[in-house]
Amino acid sequence: MDMQEKREAMLYEPAEGGKVRCRLCGHECLIAPGASGICKVRRNVDGRLVSLSYDALVAVHIDPIEKKPLFHFLPGTLSLSVAAAGCNFQCAFCQNWQISQAPRTGQVVGGQRVPPEELVAGAARQGCASISYTYTEPTIFFELAYDTARLARAKGIGNCFVSNGFMTPQAVETIAPYLDAINVDLKAFRDETYREVMKARLGPVLTCLKALTAAGIWVEVTTLVVPGMNDSDAELRDIAGFIAGQLGPDVPWHVSRFHGDYKMPGSAATPIATLHRAVQIGREAGLRYIYSGNVPGDDNESTRCPHCRAMLIRRRGFSIAANRLAGGKCPDCGAEIAGRWE
Ligand code: SF4
């Protein structure tokens, strides 16, 4: 596929002097002819914004949906999980930096050409209940995700994003009719951390999270707890308070253990006690479902009824050891458990 044939980008508008303004993510890049946006995978070609990563997949795997993590969405099912190269963030602690940062380090944006029709047929053939757009940032391979999600929806297959939540409200509105669930990383609650460590901003993430819940998409939030970056009681309280107050107490919060990576390879892993402190802070904020991540065997991996504390879904890592939910309700006290169960 040469440059003229590349998939035209969605959500941009022409600007003066042959430039274009991309409206896909919170950076809202103004891009001169021949230049690319901050993500390096959307380029202005003669006044037309094109996606350089359309149908160029760098990862295709079949994962349990629990790995996203999505714990209240079709538990125990498989999800065809796909990624194209690139990201609009530059997190120093990225765990997938080889593929997320490749375009930024001058590597060619390439990959396996798999058209949306083939992805959907593959998901059906492999018995996957959903397709997840994950590992890198689905926002910046939006066109591939959008085209695939529309076809998947028509075949009764769900669609999930695992995202940094930097989509504009227009992007949320565009994908909402086809997007069933999303896990958003809320990486900090300090704008200076977003600016320094992620090379982004906090405000658009909070706006996006509110737009996603208002659109009726099933939302779960993950915070990778990094020692010294976001692990103070005050910041964890701010995150938990925002989720409970602005998104709702039924939104699950995953607090995940950090292992040194990318530009922070020597950093210490998050102490388990810190995760337990975060779980406690989440409970005090009124959240009903708080999970610890990257700690296999921890009791906080399982779902308990928020009313009678009965064990409902027992997990170990990404596997389900037992699921006692009956029609989305606690079998002991009958309480409704929020989620998309069927
Ligand atoms: S997706 Fe975001 S980073 Fe990429 S060109 Fe558009 S506004 Fe810029």
Side-chain angles (χ1 to χ4, degrees), residues 22 24-25 27-29 31 37-39 42 88 140:
C22 180
L24 182 55
C25 90
H27 290 308
E28 302 203 66
C29 300
I31 308 170
I38 288 172
C39 59
R42 297 166 81 77
N88 46 0
I140 60 149

Side-chain angles (χ1 to χ4, degrees), residues 123-299:
R125 210 168 38 242
Q126 301 289 340
C128 294
S130 62
I131 299 177
S132 289
Y133 310 86
T134 177
Y135 306 130
T136 56
E137 175 48 51
T139 306
I140 60 149
F141 60 92
F142 192 84
E143 292 75 19
L144 173 60
Y146 179 85
D147 290 352
T148 307
R150 286 183 59 172
L151 292 175
R153 169 59 63 90
K155 299 275 184 204
I157 293 172
N159 294 291
C160 312
F161 272 19
V162 181
S163 171
N164 56 29
F166 209 55
M167 275 181 276
T168 59
Q170 300 100 296
V172 172
E173 194 183 316
T174 305
I175 196 70
Y178 311 105
L179 189 61
D180 298 282
I182 185 167
N183 186 303
V184 172
D185 277 333
L186 182 50
K187 296 166 188 275
F189 213 78
R190 302 286 178 266
D191 190 52
E192 58 269 27
T193 307
Y194 265 90
R195 286 178 189 271
E196 284 165 21
V197 183
M198 295 69 157
K199 310 290 184 238
R201 285 170 294 127
L202 171 63
V205 180
L206 304 184
T207 303
C208 176
L209 274 164
K210 289 191 254 185
L212 288 162
T213 44
I217 296 161
W218 178 253
V219 175
E220 303 193 16
V221 174
T222 295
T223 300
L224 183 71
V225 182
V226 181
M229 188 188 84
N230 59 5
D231 63 340
S232 71
D233 282 4
E235 188 156 355
L236 292 169
R237 253 187 230 117
D238 287 344
I239 296 173
F242 170 81
I243 299 170
Q246 301 291 318
L247 309 181
D250 282 328
V251 170
W253 186 32
H254 302 259
V255 286
S256 278
R257 192 173 195 210
F258 164 80
H259 301 279
D261 229 319
Y262 193 33
K263 293 177 185 166
M264 301 166 77
S267 305
T270 316
I272 308 276
T274 303
L275 297 185
H276 289 168
R277 179 164 52 85
V279 169
Q280 184 56 32
I281 286 171
R283 284 202 187 112
E284 286 164 11
L287 290 174
R288 297 187 178 125
Y289 310 101
I290 310 147
Y291 300 105
S292 54
N294 299 337
V295 193
D298 194 276
D299 188 54

